[in-house]
Structures are given as C-alpha cells and as structure tokens.
Amino acid sequence: MTLGRLDHVYYWTADMSRAVAFYRDVLGLPLARRDGDDWAEFDAGGSRFALHGAVEGHPVRPGGATAVFEVEDLDAARRRLEDRGVRFHERGGEVPGFARFASFSDPDGNTVQLIEYS
C-alpha cells in the first residue's frame, strides 16, 4: 500500500461561526465550502483545511495535531496577525539552514503554526 497526498486536516470546533471568522477573516484563508454548523472547508494553497462542528458525545478538546501554513515572510505575517489580535506562544523557533516557525492557538485552543523555509 502506498499513501497518497495529504487530503485535508480538520479541527473540531464548539462554535463554527467563530472558528470560520478566525480562519477566514484573521488568517485570510479562502472559505471554499460551508455546511451550516457541521463542516467548513478552506483552500490552503492546494491542500484543504477544515472545521468539524461539535457533535453529541464528542467533546471539543484542543491538541492532537498542528496545522502548519507556509508563509514567505514570517516576520511580516506575524506582525499582520498580531495586529489582528493573534497572540503567539513564544518568540518562535528555527532549524538553522532549513526553516523558521512560530505558533499560536485558534479560538478552540488548537495549535496553528506558520513556517518560513530558508
């Protein structure tokens, strides 16, 4: 068996409208499709990022995965998001000669990371 390309990543959310507003309006991802409070899908540069609405018996718990979005200029992206109210976890990190990155949380506590490759 050979795995194909990554199809999509999704996070559970307790408040679909709040989460859609964050990913669309704050992070700037184009909303590709929304099915009420059950599902929302964004175009993430050739991959898909999605939100799954909470369902009975499945509490929303942050963690378990990190969505990583590539940016051309990490410093500029960070400033733009901080201007929109995003609070980053730390100053960021670096793998010398490979990439720099910085992480923050979405409204449900899921980790989101930006990465700038060298």
Side-chain angles (χ1 to χ4, degrees):
M1 180 184 97
T2 303
L3 295 179
R5 71 172 181 86
L6 176 66
D7 185 72
H8 70 279
V9 172
Y10 72 88
Y11 284 149
W12 290 91
T13 182
D15 185 330
M16 184 63 73
S17 292
R18 177 189 68 187
V20 165
F22 179 78
Y23 284 96
R24 181 192 60 214
D25 302 338
V26 176
L27 298 189
L29 290 177
L31 181 64
R33 163 174 104 80
R34 181 169 177 184
D35 184 16
D37 286 337
D38 296 327
W39 186 260
E41 231 172 75
F42 300 86
D43 178 358
S47 296
R48 290 178 292 157
F49 174 76
L51 299 166
H52 194 306
V55 295
E56 188 174 332
H58 188 293
V60 175
R61 293 188 181 111
T66 299
V68 182
F69 297 97
E70 184 178 357
V71 295
E72 288 185 24
D73 183 334
L74 182 63
D75 298 321
R78 185 176 179 134
R79 282 190 302 274
R80 186 172 62 249
L81 292 177
E82 287 174 336
D83 288 345
R84 295 178 183 176
V86 172
R87 292 189 176 166
F88 283 79
H89 294 166
E90 73 290 318
R91 290 301 296 158
E94 181 176 0
V95 178
F98 182 69
R100 296 184 319 128
F101 52 89
S103 302
F104 55 93
S105 296
D106 76 0
D108 286 292
N110 295 300
T111 301
V112 180
Q113 190 174 81
L114 304 179
I115 191 165
E116 175 193 332
Y117 290 100
S118 300

